[in-house]
Amino acid sequence: MAAGGEVPVPSMSTLSRVIRRDRRAGRALLTGREPEVAGSRRPDPLSELGLDVVAEKGGGGQVFLREQKHLAQVPVLVPGAQVVHTPAVRSVLRTVAHAAAVGAVVCLYGDAGQGKTVALQYALSQLPHPARVRRVHVGVHPTVPELRRVLADALELGRRLPRGAGEADLMLVNALRQPRVLVLDEAQRLPGPALEFLRGLWDHPDTALVLAGAGSERALRRVPALASRVLTWELVPRLRPGEVAAAMAAFHSLWEEVAEDDVVWVDEHVCHGNFRTWAKLTSHLTAEIYGKSRAVVDRRMLERACARLMGPL
């Protein structure tokens, strides 16, 4: 563009800053025309979350619900999918509401792909004052000054933060005396000094702190003084075998017509109760049957889709 005499090319730092700004604002970064997958527009499966559509009762009398109210910043892989109101989601909802009410520290943990982010996003959206939620974006192994800076940004203190560490920490502590919820995802990235710094800030705050991530519980256990301040250790488990068929039927209509034996086979051999793996498999199947009339998801189609995820079975 510069060679053609048009507009000047932005610097790399400017480009990085704009990308960070837009990601934090929840904007999509489009690099070209997206292919149409299902119809003239790609529906956002999380655009209408709520508690009004009962899908089916699962094992043990559990009721799975399709949500109908917006949740921002949740990865979407499957057009037409819905967030499933599983027992784990309801438990996270209660835990986050309790922590927000009393200004407590919560650790949300579980293996990657179990649905922690979706459950947390839903719980945050249901708080009485969702505008008071602040997110802290940390890199890998941040230093204490880096953590202090991102905390100040999350609390909107960035431009007013003093240069001296002591004065800056005092301003952070005063800001944390306001009732709100601070969410720090990927907490397992935090090294010991950064966790000790958090412990010092959360001696007497009114702000609730949600530390989430796969392995976050192990990171916190290495700092006993902070671990002792955790009100609730909330595990988001994998789907139990008896839950899978009903949960998948609530997740996407594609699974409503699949034989239960086939769903059990997929879970035993490939998905193992992992929601993210089920979402990726659903994405493959949706792409395969798109444009085909009377397409049936049978065992052969499932085996082909599973092979794309796991290699030859």
Side-chain angles (χ1 to χ4, degrees), residues 27-109:
R27 301 190 181 98
L29 301 176
L30 302 179
T31 57
R33 182 180 176 85
E34 291 186 291
E36 294 184 354
V37 176
S40 59
R41 58 183 289 272
R42 293 181 60 182
D44 180 356
L46 306 179
S47 62
E48 310 259 15
L49 276 184
L51 297 178
D52 53 353
V53 182
V54 179
E56 186 178 347
K57 284 190 176 181
Q62 297 289 356
V63 177
F64 298 95
L65 303 174
R66 287 177 176 165
E67 308 296 345
Q68 302 293 332
K69 185 178 178 183
H70 178 67
L71 286 183
Q73 299 180 2
V74 177
V76 173
L77 290 174
V78 189
Q82 303 286 337
V83 173
V84 184
H85 199 245
T86 62
V89 171
R90 291 197 293 273
S91 181
V92 172
L93 172 60
R94 290 191 296 268
T95 294
V96 171
H98 183 194
V102 300
V105 180
V106 167
C107 178
L108 183 65
Y109 66 102

Side-chain angles (χ1 to χ4, degrees), residues 160-173:
R160 297 186 288 120
L161 201 67
R163 292 189 176 184
E167 294 178 349
D169 292 349
L170 181 59
M171 181 174 285
L172 287 175
V173 169

Side-chain angles (χ1 to χ4, degrees), residues 50-311:
L51 297 178
D52 53 353
V53 182
V54 179
E56 186 178 347
K57 284 190 176 181
Q62 297 289 356
V63 177
F64 298 95
L65 303 174
R66 287 177 176 165
E67 308 296 345
Q68 302 293 332
K69 185 178 178 183
H70 178 67
L71 286 183
Q73 299 180 2
V74 177
V76 173
L77 290 174
V78 189
Q82 303 286 337
V83 173
V84 184
H85 199 245
T86 62
V89 171
R90 291 197 293 273
S91 181
V92 172
L93 172 60
R94 290 191 296 268
T95 294
V96 171
H98 183 194
V102 300
V105 180
V106 167
C107 178
L108 183 65
Y109 66 102
D111 291 340
Q114 306 290 57
K116 295 183 298 298
T117 299
V118 172
L120 178 58
Q121 293 286 57
Y122 172 70
L124 295 172
S125 74
Q126 299 302 300
L127 292 176
H129 304 286
R132 294 179 181 174
V133 176
R134 298 289 186 271
R135 299 181 182 278
V136 182
H137 302 276
V138 298
V140 179
H141 295 291
T143 64
V144 170
E146 289 171 342
L147 181 58
R148 181 184 291 113
R149 177 179 55 79
V150 296
L151 283 172
D153 289 342
L155 296 171
E156 300 177 350
L157 302 174
R159 296 184 178 181
R160 297 186 288 120
L161 201 67
R163 292 189 176 184
E167 294 178 349
D169 292 349
L170 181 59
M171 181 174 285
L172 287 175
V173 169
N174 290 332
L176 293 173
R177 296 189 185 281
Q178 299 182 30
R180 51 184 148 198
V181 179
L182 210 60
V183 179
L184 200 157
D185 206 356
E186 306 296 343
Q188 70 276 8
R189 296 176 174 179
L190 298 177
L195 292 171
E196 290 282 4
F197 176 68
L198 286 179
R199 193 276 311 163
L201 293 179
W202 257 267
D203 273 335
H204 303 286
D206 293 315
T207 296
L209 175 64
V210 179
L211 298 166
S216 57
E217 79 285 4
R218 294 191 295 273
L220 267 64
R221 290 293 187 191
R222 292 196 291 267
V223 183
L226 179 59
S228 68
R229 286 164 170 76
V230 174
L231 175 67
T232 305
W233 300 86
E234 181 72 27
L235 169 66
V236 178
R238 66 182 65 233
L239 289 169
R240 296 192 299 269
E243 297 176 329
V244 171
M248 288 305 105
F251 174 65
H252 198 282
S253 59
L254 177 148
W255 296 104
E256 294 175 356
E257 305 299 326
V258 179
E260 187 170 343
D261 290 344
D262 289 341
V263 175
V264 172
W265 177 86
V266 170
D267 193 58
E268 289 179 350
H269 290 82
V270 178
C271 294
H272 309 295
N274 186 285
F275 230 117
R276 184 177 297 160
T277 306
W278 274 107
K280 291 190 291 185
L281 179 61
T282 307
S283 182
H284 280 294
L285 293 171
T286 302
E288 184 158 347
I289 67 176
Y290 173 65
K292 298 179 181 178
S293 60
R294 300 180 181 178
V296 177
V297 180
D298 54 15
R299 180 65 66 87
R300 292 184 61 184
M301 185 182 294
L302 288 170
E303 289 176 348
R304 290 197 301 271
C306 289
R308 296 190 184 101
L309 292 177
M310 308 299 292

